Amino acid sequence: MSSPARPPSLIARPLMFWAGVALTCAGVGQHVWMFVDSRSMGFHMAMMGMSGVMWAAMAAIVVGVVVSGCAVVQSPGSAGAGASVPGGSSQAHRRRLIGVLSFALMVDQMKPATLAFIQPGMRDEFQLSAAEISWLPTVALSGTVLGSLVGGRSADRIGRRATILIASLLFLGTTVCGAMPTFGGILVMCALMGMAAGGMLPVVYALMTESLPPGRRAAVMVLQAGLTTTGGYMAASGLASLLIPLTGWRVLWFAQLPLVLILIALNRWIPESAAFTAQRARSGHVRASALFKHPQTTRTLVVSGYALAWGLVYWGFITFLPSQLEASHEGGMSAATLLFLSSLLSIPTCVVAAWLYKRWSAKGTMVLYAALTVAALLVLAAVGMDGSEPVLLTAVILLFAGTAGVIALIGPYTAEIFPLAIRGTAGGWAAAVGKSGGAFGPPLIALVLSAPGGMRTAALLVALPMAVAGGAVALRGSDPRTAEASPGDSVRLEAELDALVRGEAVAVERADPKAPPTGGNGGGARP
């Protein structure tokens, strides 16, 4: 009697993958030991230098990440890459997938959130000036921009699951940031960490869009986007308040190591989407430039404007808000209070956004939260930082509520309105545009603050693009609900995209004239 056939592995080369993970863990473990060994110096490693053992451990990490990364990439014709978890269409599986991807997003959000808590200790240990320490968030956010672009494109080329696993591997390797003895080494690790964080976000939304039924998908994704952002920040702040007084800032990176290992261990419950697998079997692919070709141009511009407006408000204006308020109201509202309010208010704000997105209108909800943000900025522009504390507090609450809703909506909305063939690319582009505000937003606002008007002028400056972005969504934005109600439009859009595929894969079709046509709706993609 023959034994039953084993189900295909979700990883192309599992032995190679786990060998790479083990090698990476060995390199990270060596760094953890060096950190523990520095306790006699108060966990200050700035004077230790890069030893030969540390270089060997770094080499092990690099080799391990590359080996494991290659192991998860599979050729288009292989069945394993698209294998689904048994019972993948069941309600229990969908709940498990939501839980695992939510955990992945929370870990993803913890990484950049940690930067705010390590800067004081790092500045003291390395004796850095304010200008020098400012390179840390700049480099990390620049990494997220690049990671969003690369990760989004990678999701459309090698798969959603493979991209998520590669980002997780980078998370694992960059935990050694906690043992870097030089500020330059920390910057390199933070850039790589930023790339992983930027690459994870749009891919998760693409996979969620293709794995959940349309009925409840929108509300789940908006809730997931908002609550994991809040959860990641609160987890990072909780670890900081508990561990930094005991062992210093470096331990925050190593404290996240168990979470990353859990995420990698949960890879069994992150299957590739069936829609992507079906689309990948075609003879060609859509280039990233399709985002800026008809019929995608308007969608791309609308989403880009909305993301950029949020980036200017969040990374530019809000970055300076705590210090400006403290300077104007001594003994009043502190930066800690503002950060607490921002994270706390994200919870009800995102619940309301999810309900409105599902029950009312996706476009309308996005316009509403943009309008809320603009209204708060206009109030701040009118009263300035010297206004009465109740008015300022109300305006700040509205500002945090509006921006929390905007960031909770932009990722799921982008994933829903773009077709499957370029969904990851579009999500990566939107995320990169939003995070680019961290690169030029602070210098721009700093320049404005030195001019007459100060924060009043800055508030008006960032309110204008947000108002324009909200108007663009209202006038030219796509409505996912309308697309679902009009399947003919979806078929038409996919036909137009397939025309691009045929134009970019002429050599393939000439080589095999009997190959099936590339038309169809691509496994559920929708405009």
Side-chain angles (χ1 to χ4, degrees):
M1 182 177 179
S2 60
S3 59
R6 295 179 61 184
S9 173
L10 289 171
I11 297 176
R13 292 164 286 275
L15 291 178
M16 181 178 171
F17 174 79
W18 291 112
V21 170
L23 188 59
T24 304
C25 287
V28 172
Q30 182 60 44
H31 283 79
V32 173
W33 174 251
M34 286 185 285
F35 167 74
V36 173
D37 198 41
S38 68
R39 64 186 178 275
S40 60
M41 300 181 291
F43 298 100
H44 282 206
M45 305 177 68
M47 303 301 294
M48 292 179 62
M50 293 287 290
S51 65
V53 174
M54 182 174 283
W55 281 114
M58 288 294 296
I61 292 170
V62 172
V63 173
V65 170
V66 171
V67 168
S68 294
C70 293
V72 301
V73 178
Q74 214 161 16
S75 60
S78 178
S84 300
V85 172
S89 60
S90 69
Q91 189 72 13
H93 166 75
R94 286 196 290 266
R95 290 197 188 100
R96 189 161 50 225
L97 178 64
I98 293 170
V100 173
L101 292 182
S102 297
F103 179 72
L105 283 180
M106 190 190 75
V107 174
D108 179 81
Q109 296 294 340
M110 284 182 68
K111 293 293 184 176
T114 300
L115 296 175
F117 303 102
I118 68 173
Q119 289 187 55
M122 184 185 301
R123 184 176 179 180
D124 179 65
E125 180 176 341
F126 289 99
Q127 297 296 301
L128 301 172
S129 66
E132 289 171 328
I133 195 65
S134 67
W135 278 102
L136 182 68
T138 300
V139 168
L141 288 171
S142 298
T144 63
V145 172
L146 180 59
S148 294
L149 295 173
V150 174
R153 189 57 186 158
S154 172
D156 289 335
R157 297 300 303 271
I158 67 173
R160 283 72 163 120
R161 170 184 162 78
T163 304
I164 290 173
L165 282 175
I166 291 174
S168 302
L169 293 168
L170 279 175
F171 280 152
L172 176 61
T174 53
T175 55
V176 299
C177 188
M180 289 292 102
T182 64
F183 184 58
I186 290 173
L187 291 180
V188 172
M189 289 296 108
C190 281
L192 294 173
M193 176 274 294
M195 289 184 62
M200 176 82 76
L201 200 66
V203 185
V204 168
Y205 294 142
L207 183 56
M208 289 283 290
T209 299
E210 294 154 18
S211 302
L212 301 180
R216 292 180 296 174
R217 176 178 63 211
V220 169
M221 290 171 63
V222 174
L223 261 181
Q224 183 187 55
L227 297 184
T228 54
T229 300
T230 303
Y233 174 81
M234 296 183 75
S237 61
L239 286 173
S241 62
L242 179 65
L243 298 177
I244 287 181
L246 299 176
T247 56
W249 63 272
R250 292 179 178 273
V251 74
L252 284 188
W253 296 116
F254 294 124
Q256 298 174 28
L257 178 59
L259 300 178
V260 178
L261 291 174
I262 291 173
L263 177 59
I264 293 175
L266 290 174
N267 81 87
R268 175 70 175 84
W269 309 111
I270 308 177
E272 188 60 87
S273 76
F276 172 80
T277 303
Q279 186 272 336
R280 195 186 188 199
R282 297 180 181 182
S283 59
H285 65 272
V286 179
R287 291 182 179 176
S289 58
L291 288 177
F292 301 96
K293 295 180 181 178
H294 180 79
Q296 305 304 320
T297 309
T298 300
R299 290 182 179 87
T300 302
L301 292 177
V302 168
V303 166
S304 299
Y306 199 78
L308 181 60
W310 171 84
L312 287 174
V313 176
Y314 188 82
W315 298 115
F317 187 80
I318 291 181
T319 297
F320 291 91
L321 189 57
S323 61
Q324 293 293 313
L325 283 170
E326 288 185 346
S328 301
H329 293 264
E330 292 185 8
M333 192 180 306
S334 66
T337 302
L338 285 174
L339 291 173
F340 176 76
L341 282 174
S342 66
S343 59
L344 187 63
L345 288 173
S346 295
I347 299 175
T349 296
C350 295
V351 171
V352 173
W355 188 86
L356 290 174
Y357 193 97
K358 178 184 177 183
R359 298 291 184 182
W360 177 42
S361 164
K363 286 175 56 177
T365 305
M366 295 183 69
V367 173
L368 175 64
Y369 278 89
L372 188 63
T373 304
V374 171
L377 290 169
L378 292 179
V379 170
L380 291 174
V383 303
M385 297 295 103
D386 299 321
S388 66
E389 194 160 305
V391 174
L392 281 175
L393 179 59
T394 301
V396 170
I397 289 175
L398 291 177
L399 180 62
F400 282 138
T403 53
V406 169
I407 190 58
L409 292 164
I410 185 65
Y413 177 77
T414 303
E416 284 207 300
I417 66 171
F418 280 90
L420 181 144
I422 53 173
R423 182 170 292 149
T425 304
W429 171 261
V433 171
K435 292 182 177 70
S436 67
F440 63 85
L444 176 63
I445 299 301
L447 181 64
V448 173
L449 290 178
S450 63
M455 284 295 281
R456 291 191 179 197
T457 304
L460 285 174
L461 178 68
V462 296
L464 179 60
M466 181 58 76
V468 173
V473 172
L475 296 176
R476 302 300 301 272
S478 301
D479 194 333
R481 186 175 301 178
T482 301
E484 290 176 4
S486 305
D489 291 342
S490 179
V491 173
R492 175 187 55 78
L493 176 60
E494 289 298 332
E496 291 171 346
L497 280 174
D498 286 339
L500 288 173
V501 174
R502 286 193 295 271
E504 295 166 357
V506 174
V508 175
E509 294 193 5
R510 286 178 177 174
D512 187 8
K514 296 182 180 180
T518 57
N521 75 350
R526 53 182 52 82

